[in-house]
Each structure stands twice: as structure tokens, then as C-alpha cells.
Amino acid sequence: MPHNRIRSRHQPFEIAIMATAPVCGVLLIVLDVRPQSVEMAMPGPIQAGWESGLIVAGVAGLLGVLWPGRLSTGLGIELASVLVLGTITGMYAVALAVVAGAQGVAAMSFVVAVAAGSGWRAVQIALDLRRLTRAGQATQFAGVAVGGTFSARGGT
């Protein structure tokens, strides 16, 4: 059976972003301030969802990374989190592009990098979950081959 390599769950840049996102979301809500690009480009309910998304994505991401139980559960939580983070940072990049135009290139570059990094990490996690599934299936079938006949429930 081939060796399965699961990427490290201790991604320092991901953890830094996940730790910063909820702080930013809470500050936006508590201080009742928003970037001008967000105020101009997003309706009020979308702004509230964007702020809440920062909090949820960050907290869930850290929870997924630090999940003490099954690896697949932690990876699933982390996957959902990076997908949300990629979406909300993409929303902010579009708002910056619409409102700031060429003057917002520097800020857009960093925000797009977070969105792209989130997408990249989502692909890594999806591949890792696939590897885990295949490893589990291979182990199950190996046990069946050694232990006897296969039943509809996957046991012997």
C-alpha cells in the first residue's frame, strides 16, 4: 500500500489570516466603521454578511486546524472556512476595484493574494480528504481480503 502524505495542518500564513479575520470583523462591527469601498459597493445586508463572514471564517478555520478529533472532520471544517474566507476576500477585492480603480492596486494585490491562497489551500485540503478516503477504502478492502467475505455493510 502506498504511503499517504497529508499536508501539514500547521500553515503559518493561514493561521495568521484566520486569527486576524475575526479580530477585523469584530472591530468593524463594534466600531461601526467600514472601508469606503465596502460602503459604496455593497448594500447594507451584504456588508453585515461580509463582516460576519470574517468572524465565522476565522473562528471556524482555527477550530478546523486545532480540531482534536478525526483528521477528516478537522480538514472538512478547515475546507469550509477557507472557501468562505476566499469568497469574502474576493468580495472585498471587487469592491476595491470598483471604487478605487488603479489607486487601489496595492491593496487589491494583497487582498487577491489572500483569496487566491484560500483557493489554493482549499484544493490541497480537498486532495488530502480524497487521499484519506482512498486510504480508508484500501484498509477496509484489505481487511476484507484477509478476514473473509464482503457483506453489504462493508464488514466480513
Side-chain angles (χ1 to χ4, degrees):
M1 183 181 327
H3 176 69
N4 286 309
R5 182 182 161 279
I6 304 299
R7 285 170 192 81
S8 171
R9 296 183 61 209
H10 303 288
Q11 305 279 334
F13 289 106
E14 177 187 5
I15 292 171
I17 295 293
M18 293 298 179
T20 305
V23 172
C24 291
V26 167
L27 288 173
L28 289 168
I29 292 170
V30 169
L31 299 176
D32 196 27
V33 295
R34 277 147 214 87
Q36 185 178 9
S37 56
V38 169
E39 286 187 343
M40 292 178 70
M42 295 180 196
I46 301 296
Q47 291 177 27
W50 177 72
E51 295 163 348
S52 300
L54 285 168
I55 297 167
V56 170
V59 170
L62 291 172
L63 178 66
V65 168
L66 301 172
W67 190 258
R70 292 178 55 148
L71 176 62
S72 59
T73 303
L75 285 172
I77 294 168
E78 187 181 350
L79 175 60
S81 174
V82 294
L83 289 173
V84 170
L85 182 66
T87 301
I88 59 177
T89 54
M91 289 168 58
Y92 184 42
V94 169
L96 278 169
V98 168
V99 174
Q103 292 178 340
V105 168
M108 277 186 295
S109 299
F110 279 95
V111 175
V112 167
V114 172
S118 296
W120 186 341
R121 182 66 181 140
V123 169
Q124 287 180 335
I125 294 168
L127 292 172
D128 288 345
L129 285 170
R130 194 160 137 203
R131 284 185 191 101
L132 280 173
T133 301
R134 286 185 177 166
Q137 289 171 348
T139 303
Q140 179 184 19
F141 290 128
V144 169
V146 171
T149 61
F150 180 79
S151 75
R153 286 197 240 143
T156 53

